[in-house]
Amino acid sequence: MTHPFQEPEHFGAAPPTEWHLLPFSHIDLDAGREVLVNVCGEYVIAPRGTTGSLVRRQLEPRSDLYRNLRAKHFLYDERSSPLMDILATKYRTKKAFLEGFTKLHIFVVTLRCEHTCSYCQVSRQSSDRDRFDMSQETADRALDLMFRSRAQNLTLELQGGEPLLNFSLIRYIVDRARNRATNERRGLNIAITTNLALATDEILNYCREERLLLSTSLDGPSFIHDAHRRRPGNNSHALVVDRVRRARDIVGPDNISALMTTTRMSMDHATAIIDEYVHLGFRSVFLRPLSPYGFAVRSAAKTGYHTEEYLEFYRTGLAHILDLNRRGVELSEVYATTILRKILTPFPTYYVDLQTPPGVGIGVVVYNYDGDVYASDEGRMLAEMGDTSFRIGNVHRDTYDQIFGSAYLKGMIREATAESVPGCSECAFLPYCGSDPVYNYRTQGDIVGHRPTSGFCRRNMEIIRLLFRLLADGGPDIERIFYSWIRGRSIRPEANEHVDHAA
Amino acid sequence: MRLTARGQAVGLKAYALGRVTRDNGTPTGSRTTLVYVAETAKPDCELEGYAAALLEQRVSGTSSTGTPIVSGITTDHLRDGDVVLVSPNGHVRTVFRPDSAHNVLFMTERCNSYCLMCSQPPRDVDDSFLVDVNLRLIPLMLPTPAYVCITGGEPTLLGDGLLAILRKLKETLPSTHAHMLTNGRRFADPEFTRAFSSVQHLNLSLGIPLYADNAPDHDYVVQARGAFDETMRGLYQLARDTQNIEIRVVLHSHTIERLESLCEYIYRNLPFASHVALMGLEVTGFAKHNLPRLWIDPVRAGVIVGRAAELLAVRGMNVSIYNYPLCLLPRSAWEYARRSISDWKQTYAEPCQECRVRGECAGLFQWAVERYSGMLRPVA
């Protein structure tokens, strides 16, 4: 019996005579290489000039490079259909953070704080509860608005000031929100942003029972931490160290994380800061730049620094973290993880400060202690400095539709969406980046901003480029380390990984 | 293991199906799903009511009660509770064994692909009666099996017949996990996929092969133009309906060169797959004929397979390596290797005698013993 098997040429193995481009962009990585990135964030690192050869149809169609570009949806030829519906599904999946509308709801339960951190603009040293605490009535109205969001999974973040100063309201909000989520069969995660100074065992036990996630502040060793995080007795570091250990015992190690604020003083101490995190048993550290809000602006000479200095700090820190990982220490850097998730996975990223369309109002909303509603946490801080540009309503005066459906909010989002912003729309790193209209407004005077002079742009471009260089040259362990960060549990709960098949 | 036998059939116009019994105590009226097996001829009245009777002793003439008889047939391999399919030509095939972990519903010999390495070469025959056979077989699968494999040929070619089978499985064997081997092409049709999913068989998974990250390479392996696009579209249709999907890659010279690219493609495009199986070649059927063009040095391939498995595992995907002896894989890939060769096909070679990890090793297919034995390295 003879079998009529056909040769490869019969199925299109011969080189195609022409090919068509799918949407992608490119950027130089270094002197010899460039990165090509398609709309879904799939990438190819190739010799410089590859894009030119691709566009001029001078690539060798038998080469692995050509085949990789075809498999990654950069081009199609007469041997392969574009599978456009699949490309569309992949794009929709990447943008699935938009699905269900606002997911992160921040409640500022009090503006009072017993710390007087040098870089904080918003908090008040006061015992005037009537003036600076959120009332039950305000909380009720904010909860009503929160549950109007269509998101299947909601996150409620309790903030301050120091939220534990208004613990009775926390109990009230947690109780009501849990009941409602249960009745409506919705997922609900609740997090408290606290300096832990007031976190008694009783409070920590309550957090365990209610499955609350704790996010605290740790700037590094005591000489850095206590220099900026001032409180009566100047014992902030000792307190947080003690309470973090206790909290880890009570609520469990996966339910507590810390945030650091990078100041001028941090610049020379990246390694010491990171080691402090490891020493205290944290599995992630967020080398977070100082935002241009709060006291930081007023005392810029003392706390501030240039983007280039920050980048040097970040590079040093990331190198140290990678070194620790290679030696078996589990520690991820949160900002890199967010970007790597965009680069290395087909899944969406739920991080409101680095998304486009921007998260303002549609990813995150802030209910201030006084009932005012802000499109972002930074917008709320700006208001404490007298500029209410990002106030989008008030829980007592405005309806859900008035707050979330306003022409003002829609206009802000439309104008600031990176896909239509000069300098962003054609950028190869767009799928990995985001838009921060509040930052643009604060630093450059309008929400669109100006890329060539933007610190946000400079910082993200360099960090993304750094991550690509590491992917290309970082050695055999780098992928394993990066994916372990991506897959590790983050304190800010993300929706389950899924592919968006909605039509 | 013997699964077929042949004797001389009388009184059989169509096929007969039933559970084997040697106990003649069942009342006459309750014998319609039983096949009576005996060594010697019996009086007609004793055979009354059975679906068929299989007699080792050769008998002549027809049965006055109308019970079909196959005589002069070997029955040693039949156990009580086995289900046999008796054909008018005297062919008796075992289609279910209660003690087997690998029972199948064989749906059709037809296929719309023509894979270079097909272990079960398709035939273009009208075997639509198999739908009826399987519908009747399902209630006879006793005790309830934990697992059943729906296979062919290409089961989706049956269309409504396949849906009827799924409904029957859902009604009759709801706790049995059904795994269907399909090339997935038919699911590119949204109507068909909708109908398929509307059965709502929740204990079902689909094993679908993908052989390349591009159409020309995949289409060549399956010898069908347009197959890659259809399978990819089908996978997305199925994922939309949240069907449980396994991706299967058979390893040979045409899949190994870009295996890592394929795995990256699977992760980027099919992250919803619940499992990826990287499967060593079984040299039967077409694979035997095409071995010269499929052959690949198993040691070199082992290194690539190991890297591919790790690539998927690092990304959080569930991956297995099937049909690959441990000593041909890098040690870092051992954790993904499974003892996948069915016990009755599994064998070991001379060097394996002294191997310390033999108990955890998939071993070899019989055909591979000679070809591989020079490369096997017993683990000390």
Side-chain angles (χ1 to χ4, degrees):
Chain A
M1 180 180 169
T2 56
H3 302 292
F5 293 106
Q6 304 283 350
E7 294 306 311
E9 287 66 29
H10 182 75
F11 302 97
T17 51
E18 60 172 340
W19 64 73
H20 311 278
L21 303 180
L22 291 164
F24 76 94
S25 195
H26 70 105
I27 191 166
D28 287 344
L29 183 59
D30 50 33
R33 294 174 296 186
E34 62 189 28
V35 192
L36 293 80
V37 182
N38 77 359
V39 284
C40 305
E42 287 178 273
Y43 69 92
V44 172
I45 298 172
R48 259 179 100 160
T50 297
T51 302
S53 311
L54 176 59
V55 172
R56 287 191 294 273
R57 308 297 193 271
Q58 289 166 346
L59 275 188
E60 168 51 58
R62 289 176 197 271
S63 65
D64 267 340
L65 179 56
Y66 179 89
R67 291 149 72 98
N68 289 342
L69 288 165
R70 186 171 61 181
K72 288 176 195 252
H73 272 116
F74 285 81
L75 63 89
Y76 65 99
D77 53 39
E78 76 262 28
R79 314 286 183 216
S80 58
S81 88
L83 290 174
M84 212 65 96
D85 39 358
I86 286 176
L87 186 63
T89 303
K90 291 202 289 186
Y91 185 71
R92 207 161 48 229
T93 299
K94 274 291 186 190
K95 295 287 189 188
F97 58 82
L98 294 168
E99 214 177 78
F101 218 58
T102 322
K103 290 169 198 66
L104 176 58
H105 298 257
I106 297 174
F107 286 57
V108 180
V109 295
T110 180
L111 206 57
R112 295 183 297 124
C113 187
E114 33 61 68
H115 270 64
T116 46
C117 303
S118 60
Y119 42 65
C120 174
Q121 168 74 7
V122 300
S123 299
R124 294 286 185 282
Q125 285 261 304
S126 168
S127 52
D128 189 348
R129 300 190 76 117
D130 289 343
R131 190 153 165 228
F132 294 118
D133 282 12
M134 183 182 268
S135 68
Q136 286 193 357
E137 194 198 354
T138 299
D140 279 334
R141 297 207 176 232
L143 283 167
D144 283 343
L145 291 169
M146 168 172 164
F147 279 89
R148 281 290 303 274
S149 168
R150 291 189 297 108
Q152 179 53 37
N153 294 296
L154 295 163
T155 297
L156 196 169
E157 190 173 310
L158 298 156
Q159 261 211 33
E162 171 47 51
L164 295 184
L165 284 170
N166 196 0
F167 187 61
S168 60
L169 188 74
I170 290 178
R171 298 187 84 118
Y172 180 83
I173 291 172
V174 167
D175 201 38
R176 302 225 145 190
R178 284 267 187 249
N179 277 338
R180 247 172 120 154
T182 307
N183 289 340
E184 298 178 19
R185 292 163 188 264
R186 297 163 88 171
L188 174 66
N189 287 295
I190 306 179
I192 305 187
T193 302
T194 168
N195 59 40
L196 287 181
L198 305 172
T200 60
D201 282 12
E202 188 192 343
I203 287 175
L204 292 173
N205 278 314
Y206 168 82
C207 292
R208 186 196 59 215
E209 281 157 26
E210 292 293 339
R211 305 181 309 283
L212 305 187
L213 303 168
L214 296 174
S215 174
T216 193
S217 296
L218 176 69
D219 287 356
S222 61
F223 76 92
I224 298 173
H225 184 96
D226 288 334
H228 291 284
R229 300 190 61 80
R230 293 190 208 108
R231 77 184 303 275
N234 210 23
N235 61 348
S236 176
H237 185 265
L239 265 177
V240 76
V241 166
D242 175 64
R243 289 291 91 192
V244 160
R245 292 202 165 115
R246 193 74 186 119
R248 189 168 286 127
D249 286 344
I250 294 177
V251 303
D254 288 338
N255 297 319
I256 175 159
S257 70
L259 276 179
M260 67 159 294
T261 299
T262 310
T263 60
R264 162 155 292 282
M265 198 180 204
S266 324
M267 291 291 110
D268 296 330
H269 302 290
T271 305
I273 292 167
I274 289 159
D275 289 346
E276 177 78 0
Y277 269 71
V278 175
H279 176 64
L280 286 177
F282 288 109
R283 281 183 279 200
S284 70
V285 57
F286 190 168
L287 302 178
R288 191 173 61 141
L290 194 65
S291 43
Y293 323 98
F295 288 155
V297 175
R298 213 181 289 166
S299 57
K302 192 177 164 208
T303 50
Y305 41 83
H306 292 293
T307 302
E308 299 311 316
E309 294 173 275
Y310 169 77
L311 285 169
E312 194 46 45
F313 164 80
Y314 188 85
R315 282 185 205 105
T316 309
L318 194 67
H320 183 55
I321 292 170
L322 286 171
D323 197 39
L324 288 169
N325 275 268
R326 290 194 184 96
R327 287 189 272 137
V329 178
E330 264 182 63
L331 184 74
S332 65
E333 200 285 308
V334 174
Y335 201 65
T337 304
T338 299
I339 294 170
L340 288 167
R341 190 176 163 85
K342 293 169 180 241
I343 297 174
L344 293 175
T345 86
F347 304 113
T349 305
Y350 298 84
Y351 179 68
V352 292
D353 296 338
L354 200 65
Q355 68 181 50
T356 170
V360 285
I362 61 173
V364 57
V365 65
V366 181
Y367 308 103
N368 210 3
Y369 67 100
D370 57 3
D372 280 348
V373 182
Y374 291 93
S376 81
D377 204 21
E378 290 73 20
R380 183 262 304 200
M381 295 182 190
L382 209 55
E384 295 299 336
M385 300 166 68
D387 184 340
T388 55
S389 295
F390 294 91
R391 186 168 67 199
I392 54 175
N394 183 282
V395 298
H396 299 286
R397 290 194 298 274
D398 301 308
T399 65
Y400 180 85
D401 290 343
Q402 284 168 335
I403 295 169
F404 291 95
S406 73
Y408 177 66
L409 180 60
K410 282 182 193 165
M412 191 195 310
I413 292 162
R414 190 172 49 239
E415 278 187 51
T417 292
E419 278 83 350
S420 62
V421 158
C424 291
S425 64
E426 70 277 20
C427 177
F429 289 161
L430 170 69
Y432 311 133
C433 198
S435 167
D436 190 343
V438 188
Y439 181 98
N440 295 341
Y441 175 84
R442 177 70 190 135
T443 58
Q444 300 186 312
D446 69 80
I447 60 173
V448 173
H450 177 246
R451 244 50 58 207
T453 53
S454 162
F456 178 90
C457 177
R458 171 76 186 150
R459 196 173 70 228
N460 284 327
M461 293 301 285
E462 283 314 298
I463 291 177
I464 295 168
R465 205 175 252 125
L466 169 64
L467 294 173
F468 271 111
R469 287 203 190 111
L470 285 167
L471 279 168
D473 310 322
D477 286 337
I478 201 77
E479 262 203 0
R480 184 183 55 74
I481 293 169
F482 281 170
Y483 276 106
S484 77
W485 295 1
I486 291 167
R487 294 170 58 208
R489 197 163 173 275
S490 83
I491 194 83
R492 252 203 196 152
E494 295 174 353
N496 287 334
E497 294 185 348
H498 74 296
V499 172
D500 179 26
H501 291 279
Chain B
M1 173 148 309
R2 185 171 192 142
L3 294 172
T4 59
R6 190 158 189 177
Q8 188 180 344
V10 284
L12 202 55
K13 289 181 197 69
Y15 71 88
L17 186 77
R19 302 178 70 214
V20 166
T21 181
R22 290 181 170 83
D23 171 9
N24 204 6
T26 309
T28 314
S30 308
R31 293 171 170 177
T32 53
T33 57
L34 294 175
V35 169
Y36 181 61
V37 174
E39 288 179 15
T40 56
K42 300 285 174 189
D44 275 1
C45 59
E46 284 192 23
L47 303 182
E48 188 177 354
Y50 286 112
L54 309 180
L55 306 174
E56 294 228 352
Q57 186 182 7
R58 178 71 69 100
V59 298
S60 56
T62 56
S63 154
S64 63
T65 60
T67 300
I69 295 172
V70 178
S71 70
I73 185 169
T74 305
T75 61
D76 291 348
H77 62 289
L78 298 176
R79 300 277 167 275
D80 279 24
D82 284 1
V83 180
V84 289
L85 177 66
V86 186
S87 300
N89 63 4
H91 202 87
V92 175
R93 172 176 289 274
T94 307
V95 290
F96 175 75
R97 292 185 299 133
D99 54 351
S100 169
H102 299 101
N103 280 299
V104 303
L105 293 171
F106 187 80
M107 302 294 290
T108 178
E109 291 196 69
R110 292 183 298 132
C111 190
N112 50 351
S113 293
Y114 207 73
C115 302
L116 293 175
M117 65 295 175
C118 183
S119 59
Q120 184 98 43
R123 291 200 307 149
D124 192 11
V125 292
D126 179 8
D127 51 10
S128 49
F129 75 100
L130 286 173
V131 173
D132 187 50
V133 170
N134 286 314
L135 285 173
R136 289 173 53 192
L137 167 58
I138 289 164
L140 302 181
M141 294 179 141
L142 295 166
T144 301
Y147 169 89
V148 66
C149 180
I150 303 170
T151 184
E154 174 50 42
T156 58
L157 294 183
L158 296 172
D160 290 343
L162 175 63
L163 305 190
I165 296 287
L166 290 174
R167 276 187 217 104
K168 192 76 173 179
L169 280 170
K170 186 188 167 189
E171 282 165 27
T172 316
L173 303 172
S175 65
T176 299
H177 179 84
H179 189 59
M180 182 166 100
L181 300 181
T182 167
N183 59 37
R185 294 171 60 188
R186 184 87 197 267
F187 294 107
D189 172 4
E191 290 296 318
F192 178 75
T193 310
R194 253 191 290 279
F196 180 87
S197 296
S198 71
V199 174
Q200 292 191 295
H201 188 312
L202 300 177
N203 207 352
L204 172 74
S205 56
L206 293 90
I208 299 179
L210 196 68
Y211 296 126
D213 61 4
N214 66 84
D217 291 352
H218 177 89
D219 290 357
Y220 169 64
V221 172
V222 305
Q223 293 280 303
R225 272 188 186 151
F228 177 80
D229 285 7
E230 286 175 1
T231 295
M232 283 303 295
R233 291 206 169 93
L235 284 163
Y236 267 67
Q237 296 282 340
L238 288 165
R240 186 201 301 254
D241 291 344
T242 65
Q243 295 287 353
N244 184 350
I245 293 162
E246 172 194 63
I247 302 294
R248 309 185 127 215
V249 186
V250 178
L251 306 166
H252 53 67
S253 64
H254 293 279
T255 55
I256 204 82
E257 294 305 333
R258 283 183 64 82
L259 186 64
E260 287 169 90
S261 301
L262 171 57
C263 289
E264 177 72 29
Y265 186 84
I266 290 170
Y267 172 65
R268 280 287 187 169
N269 292 277
L270 310 168
F272 43 78
S274 62
H275 183 223
V276 180
L278 307 175
M279 305 167 60
L281 189 65
E282 182 176 3
V283 182
T284 55
F286 288 162
K288 213 170 197 169
H289 173 88
N290 285 321
L291 194 56
R293 64 168 125 185
L294 298 174
W295 175 256
I296 171 125
D297 170 13
V299 179
R300 192 172 83 82
V303 173
I304 299 172
V305 174
R307 279 206 305 261
E310 214 156 0
L311 182 152
L312 287 168
V314 157
R315 284 155 179 70
M317 294 198 78
N318 190 10
V319 57
S320 297
I321 300 171
Y322 288 166
N323 313 343
Y324 228 95
L326 291 177
C327 61
L328 296 180
L329 288 172
R331 210 168 266 251
S332 58
W334 284 14
E335 60 181 296
Y336 313 113
R338 313 277 175 255
R339 297 191 71 187
S340 48
I341 302 180
S342 315
D343 47 5
W344 55 279
K345 285 196 251 179
Q346 182 191 40
T347 182
Y348 294 94
E350 183 63 32
C352 304
Q353 299 307 322
E354 59 209 83
C355 180
R356 192 176 54 78
V357 295
R358 183 184 149 126
E360 291 100 73
C361 181
L364 301 165
F365 288 116
Q366 187 61 47
W367 69 268
V369 172
E370 204 173 313
R371 282 178 171 273
Y372 279 19
S373 61
M375 306 169 204
L376 299 173
R377 295 281 172 269
V379 178

